[in-house]
Amino acid sequence: MKPLWLSTALLFTACNGSNGPVCDQSELLDGYTDADGDGFGSNLSEVIQFCPGFGDGLSLSPLDCNDEDAAINPDAVELCNGIDDDCDGVRDQGFDNRVYYPDADDDGFGARYPAEYSCIPLEGHVQNNTDCDDSDPFVNPGSPEICNGGIDDNCNGLSDDTDPQVLESSKLTFYLDADADGFGDPDASFEACQPQSNWSTNFDDCDDGNQAINPNATEICNMRDDDCDLLSDDADPSIDPNSQIDVFIDADFDGFGNPASPSLACFVDFGTSDNGDDCNDNNFDINPGVIDVCNFGIDDDCDPTTAEDDVSGLGYYVDTDGDGYGDTSTEILSCTPIANRVVLPDDCNESDTGINPGIEDVCEDGVDQDCTGSDARCRSAFEVSNQILAFTINNSMRGVVLEPTEDGLVIDFGIKATLSDACELDYYIWQRPDDNSPWSLLTSDQVLHEPATEVFFNSGELDVVVTAGTQVGYGVAWNNCPTSVRVFTATNNNVGTFELGDWVGWVRETNNYSGFNVAYTPPEFLTSSANVPNMEIGYSTSFVP
């Protein structure tokens, strides 16, 4: 400690005849300020030299650690008071000292440092150091873990979703956003602190599989609720008009709308049309889709440029030969009769009054008198007698076998029957040289017949040559008949009724009919003299082999 030389000089001067005491310099003592008068100078005091006997307020000992309190000095008794009473550098020495830690946020949990020892509680201190944030009274081991952005509220080293102790009540509900449109599915949720990928805090999506459907979408015409407001298309007032079409009221339901009633809609509904082309929306028969007819000047097709007579009148034809039939190529449509024209067409020879559709054709004379396009065959017919061999195949075909005595041309043939409904009949002609030879199919035909009672149902024109001395089989199968076929025998007795609703067909292997025009060799005909069908064979009388 540096001596206070100024004081020494003064004292020395005083000892040599000045007004104060005087002493030899060698007698000077080092003193320390003793402000509390406890006999111990402050350990913070500077050295003050003084003559013996003149040291008031000074002490020779600089060991006082608190020179403002006379009870604190090296001779004092150490007390349990949190003070170093005897100035030995240790407080409360000899007492039960405990470690105390600062609790700055006053939450009952101390910071990890600095630690202090005391035999009495220290204000602002606690005996634990488990607080992980001593500046926040809500963060300590006694606090509940809550969702708050990653803060470790209970000081266990975990926070929010990573802490299994997090309060469920503090969690948020998230909803699956599978289509990543920002809106969640109300039927798929979970609780958490922080959102995960493809999860949303709202449940406003009404179709989480379609990114174009959500509350922010624009409602358009597509038969679905785009903006999730429980309304769709025209029922939604927020519909985008650019997605709608122009529609018109169609009061008469003819498919054409009133041009004076336009509106916007998503689709053409009942009572509306996508066009405004009707000129009379109160009459179903007046619209651009009909043909103008003869009706006293009404514009049926809504086209004033279309003349009625040109589109819907009767056809009138030039009849040069005056036989009542006109040339089809000269047709003129008119609502009123035209002089020197007739209404019957299809005359194939306007220079001959004996040729027109009303004339009966003379067979095989080389002239087409009835304008059918071909000369009629000279046809004779005979009915099959009881002496002829008859056959039946699986109850779905009836027929006969004949042996021609001369070559001939079979024009057609038929069978006498009753059809209760429209029915297809299939006609077949087979031929073989003798009993030991296989059958060959000569021709076949299929005809749809209307229902009739006890008549001959004939094939079309077949014109097939049969050879004398051979065996010729004529067979008729009923095909696609919804109810029954009743066949009559040659003596006009009823052979029987055949129910065909479940009938499939005939093939050789199973004796079932497989359908019309199958090129097959028929199985052996089953004969029965009592069931010879009443058949008619039409042949040409002028055939020359």
Side-chain angles (χ1 to χ4, degrees):
M1 184 173 296
K2 182 179 179 181
L4 187 58
W5 293 107
L6 177 59
S7 299
T8 302
L10 291 173
L11 292 173
F12 179 75
T13 302
C15 290
N16 286 284
S18 64
N19 294 328
V22 294
C23 63
D24 188 70
Q25 186 173 0
S26 61
E27 296 178 305
L28 292 176
L29 301 175
D30 291 336
Y32 304 91
T33 302
D34 181 14
D36 56 9
D38 61 2
F40 294 90
S42 171
N43 57 5
L44 301 178
S45 173
E46 295 185 355
V47 177
I48 300 175
Q49 291 186 326
F50 65 94
C51 292
F54 295 94
D56 292 341
L58 298 175
S59 172
L60 297 177
S61 171
L63 300 179
D64 200 336
C65 55
N66 186 346
D67 202 35
E68 295 179 358
D69 188 341
I72 299 176
N73 57 71
D75 285 343
V77 176
E78 187 70 31
L79 302 176
C80 179
N81 55 8
I83 300 173
D84 182 11
D85 299 284
D86 57 4
C87 295
D88 62 357
V90 180
R91 291 181 302 176
D92 304 330
Q93 187 178 13
F95 294 92
D96 183 14
N97 286 304
R98 299 178 182 178
V99 182
Y100 287 87
Y101 302 90
D103 181 15
D105 55 12
D106 198 26
D107 61 0
F109 296 87
R112 291 181 174 84
Y113 58 87
E116 294 189 49
Y117 292 87
S118 176
C119 62
I120 59 172
L122 298 180
E123 183 177 356
H125 288 69
V126 293
Q127 290 184 267
N128 68 78
N129 64 345
T130 55
D131 204 336
C132 53
D133 185 351
D134 202 34
S135 64
D136 189 338
F138 298 103
V139 176
N140 57 66
S143 293
E145 184 69 35
I146 60 173
C147 298
N148 54 8
I151 296 175
D152 180 12
D153 304 281
N154 58 5
C155 297
N156 66 350
L158 304 173
S159 65
D160 292 354
D161 290 320
T162 63
D163 192 340
Q165 300 177 20
V166 66
L167 287 180
E168 292 294 326
S169 61
S170 72
K171 292 182 179 181
L172 298 175
T173 302
F174 296 93
Y175 301 87
L176 179 63
D177 182 14
D179 56 11
D181 60 2
F183 296 88
D185 182 352
D187 297 325
S189 64
F190 82 105
E191 309 294 321
C193 292
Q194 300 297 325
Q196 307 296 316
S197 177
N198 289 336
W199 290 82
S200 172
T201 56
N202 70 74
F203 52 89
D204 300 330
D205 208 334
C206 53
D207 185 349
D208 203 37
N210 190 329
Q211 193 176 56
I213 297 178
N214 60 69
N216 282 348
T218 300
E219 187 69 32
I220 60 175
C221 295
N222 55 10
M223 300 181 70
R224 69 189 186 195
D225 180 13
D226 302 283
D227 57 3
C228 298
D229 62 356
L230 302 181
L231 301 172
S232 63
D233 296 346
D234 293 325
D236 193 334
S238 67
I239 184 73
D240 182 2
N242 293 321
S243 69
Q244 295 176 299
I245 61 173
D246 293 323
V247 296
F248 303 83
I249 294 176
D250 181 15
D252 56 9
F253 306 106
D254 60 2
F256 296 87
N258 184 347
S261 62
S263 63
L264 290 175
C266 285
F267 309 100
V268 176
D269 204 352
F270 184 72
T272 64
S273 172
D274 61 357
N275 67 78
D277 299 334
D278 206 336
C279 56
N280 186 342
D281 203 34
N282 296 314
N283 191 326
F284 179 84
D285 296 318
I286 298 178
N287 59 68
V290 303
I291 297 176
D292 227 343
V293 297
C294 299
N295 55 7
F296 308 103
I298 295 176
D299 182 13
D300 303 280
D301 62 358
C302 297
D303 183 359
T305 64
T306 303
E308 290 178 329
D309 295 352
D310 291 339
V311 295
S312 64
L314 290 175
Y316 288 86
Y317 308 90
V318 173
D319 181 16
T320 304
D321 58 10
D323 60 2
Y325 291 85
D327 181 355
T328 304
S329 66
T330 64
E331 179 185 61
I332 294 178
L333 298 179
S334 175
C335 292
T336 58
I338 299 177
N340 300 320
R341 285 179 175 259
V342 295
V343 295
L344 298 176
D346 300 327
D347 196 337
C348 57
N349 190 335
E350 274 299 316
S351 62
D352 190 337
T353 58
I355 299 177
N356 62 64
I359 300 294
E360 183 177 351
D361 201 10
V362 177
C363 69
E364 299 183 10
D365 66 346
V367 179
D368 178 19
Q369 284 93 353
D370 59 359
C371 294
T372 60
S374 62
D375 190 14
R377 292 280 187 180
C378 291
R379 177 184 181 277
S380 295
F382 64 90
E383 292 188 27
V384 175
S385 69
N386 272 324
Q387 289 75 31
I388 306 301
L389 176 66
F391 64 87
T392 177
I393 299 177
N394 197 34
N395 216 24
S396 60
M397 178 177 283
R398 288 291 182 272
V400 296
V401 176
L402 304 179
E403 293 184 358
T405 57
E406 60 181 20
D407 294 347
L409 182 70
V410 178
I411 297 174
D412 57 28
F413 74 98
I415 190 168
K416 193 172 187 179
T418 291
L419 301 182
S420 57
D421 291 283
C423 179
E424 288 180 349
L425 297 185
D426 297 343
Y427 299 84
Y428 296 90
I429 298 179
W430 297 278
Q431 187 175 36
R432 67 179 180 178
D434 50 54
D435 288 342
N436 298 318
S437 300
W439 290 97
S440 297
L441 180 66
L442 295 183
T443 190
S444 59
D445 190 23
Q446 184 179 64
V447 180
L448 175 62
H449 296 289
E450 293 302 316
T453 302
E454 200 170 341
V455 299
F456 277 103
F457 293 95
N458 289 332
S459 67
E461 265 191 28
L462 303 175
D463 291 346
V464 61
V465 175
V466 295
T467 306
T470 62
Q471 295 181 4
V472 181
Y474 299 86
V476 180
W478 26 97
N479 192 2
N480 296 328
C481 300
T483 54
S484 65
V485 177
R486 186 180 297 274
V487 177
F488 295 90
T489 66
T491 57
N492 206 29
N493 294 323
N494 184 13
V495 173
T497 299
F498 307 98
E499 298 295 337
L500 305 174
D502 297 326
W503 175 63
V504 177
W506 170 41
V507 294
R508 185 176 62 177
E509 291 78 1
T510 61
N511 239 19
N512 290 324
Y513 181 60
S514 62
F516 170 66
N517 210 21
V518 177
Y520 54 78
T521 300
E524 288 300 318
F525 299 127
L526 306 177
T527 62
S528 173
S529 60
N531 287 334
V532 177
N534 191 351
M535 300 189 72
E536 178 185 77
I537 311 298
Y539 61 95
S540 173
T541 58
S542 60
F543 171 74
V544 178

